[in-house]
Amino acid sequence: MNRPGREVYHLPVMVTEVVGLLVTKVDGTYLDLTAGGGGHLKALAEVLDEKAGLYAVDRDPAAVQWVERALAGFLQFKKVIKAAFGDIAGVVAQFEEKTFDGIFLDLGLSSRQVDEGERGFSFQSDGPLDMRFDTETGTTAADLINILDERELGKLFKTFGEEKLASKIARAVVRERQKKMILTTAQLREIVLEVVRPPYQIKSLARVFQALRMAVNRELEELQKVLPAAVTLLRPGGRLAVISYHSLEDRTVKNFFQQAARGCVCPPHLPQCVCGQKPSLRILTKKPVTPQKSEIEKNSRARSARLRVAEKI
Ligand SMILES: C[S@@+](CC[C@H](N)C(=O)[O-])C[C@H]1O[C@@H](n2cnc3c(N)ncnc32)[C@H](O)[C@@H]1O
């Protein structure tokens, strides 16, 4: 796997595609809701002119600090704040601009977060079972692993990880935690390896860790909250671009875009519309945009990326 070194926070994915589809006005106002290492922000700053405004958000205080420094030299860059994008309305109240020509989401986690063992995101290194994007608050993965009952754990692994052996893994977790609390990624890894046989072990580990991360950070809830809120903050003709990295997220984005492009939510058996809802988006990517082969060769973490873009009507 190609991994950026520590001096590279994160290799941004599909930069050319994002910039090309998101930017409609070089003097416009843009909002990046997943600032990360600021790779997309920098690429945007480079094509925008000096009258443009670039705002950013990340839930991870380390990312916010990094972006403050990395973007400091760009006149277009106005502000980055630490917040969860699900609270976008409250977030925007802290910016000078309240509406945008483009809003961007690059879901999931950064390479820096994966590579720092002490964040607990990776089953490849030993660290505390944390997995919070926001290291200052909230429930950790260890809390969930030690508190949820067997049925809840099984449901979590199944729903967010689509893991076939979810119930067996949940049973093993509960059995092990009766002997000793499960506090590290290595402990959880061992439990999964006991239950799952080769050659499926790595895939199951990835699914179990993904499921926990999604639950800890309430990722689907955040996404479901941000999508409609983002549309209300877009100016007419403004664009919403979302990169997702697994099918649960991509499906959520796709369904939201389709619903917003349709407008009417009346049941199909009604002869005419009674809800009166008008379309609010025009979909610009009938199929999701995926990275070029050459990008995946350079950055294996790009391989599952799907970019969808829609324009406010
Ligand atoms: C894939 S990285 C973004 C990388 C970035 N585009 C770049 O070029 O470096 C995803 C980022 O989103 C942040 N994030 C995830 N969920 C979030 C949420 N609900 N609110 C705000 N930030 C979130 C993570 O902390 C992480 O830094």
Side-chain angles (χ1 to χ4, degrees), residues 9-13 32-41 57-60 63 83-86 104 106-110 113 133 217 219 222 245:
Y9 194 102
H10 178 82
L11 277 182
V13 172
D32 181 342
L33 288 170
T34 49
H40 287 101
L41 279 165
V57 169
D58 202 290
R59 205 172 183 177
D60 183 341
F85 56 59
F104 175 55
D106 181 15
L107 301 171
L109 67 176
S110 66
Q113 289 165 328
F133 287 138
N217 297 292
E219 290 180 34
E222 281 284 305
Y245 293 87

Side-chain angles (χ1 to χ4, degrees), residues 40-111:
H40 287 101
L41 279 165
K42 257 192 193 166
L44 288 167
E46 276 158 9
V47 301
L48 296 176
D49 76 22
E50 292 181 355
K51 280 187 261 141
L54 202 44
Y55 294 85
V57 169
D58 202 290
R59 205 172 183 177
D60 183 341
V64 170
Q65 264 186 20
W66 177 277
V67 163
E68 257 162 7
R69 276 200 308 274
L71 271 291
F74 291 94
L75 280 177
Q76 300 86 342
F77 177 66
K78 305 296 178 204
K79 196 171 192 173
V80 56
I81 63 167
K82 194 208 109 181
F85 56 59
D87 178 32
I88 185 174
V91 169
V92 164
Q94 301 176 54
F95 293 144
E96 248 168 64
E97 298 280 351
K98 313 287 179 210
T99 56
F100 302 89
D101 297 297
I103 299 181
F104 175 55
L105 286 147
D106 181 15
L107 301 171
L109 67 176
S110 66
S111 299

Side-chain angles (χ1 to χ4, degrees), residues 194-211:
E194 283 289 313
V195 175
V196 184
R197 295 283 142 234
Y200 307 109
Q201 291 178 320
I202 298 296
K203 287 217 164 125
S204 286
L205 277 168
R207 288 193 283 254
V208 165
F209 274 65
Q210 172 189 295

Side-chain angles (χ1 to χ4, degrees), residues 268-281:
H269 65 265
L270 289 186
Q272 64 183 54
C273 171
V274 291
C275 74
Q277 289 202 40
K278 299 273 173 269
S280 55
L281 288 180

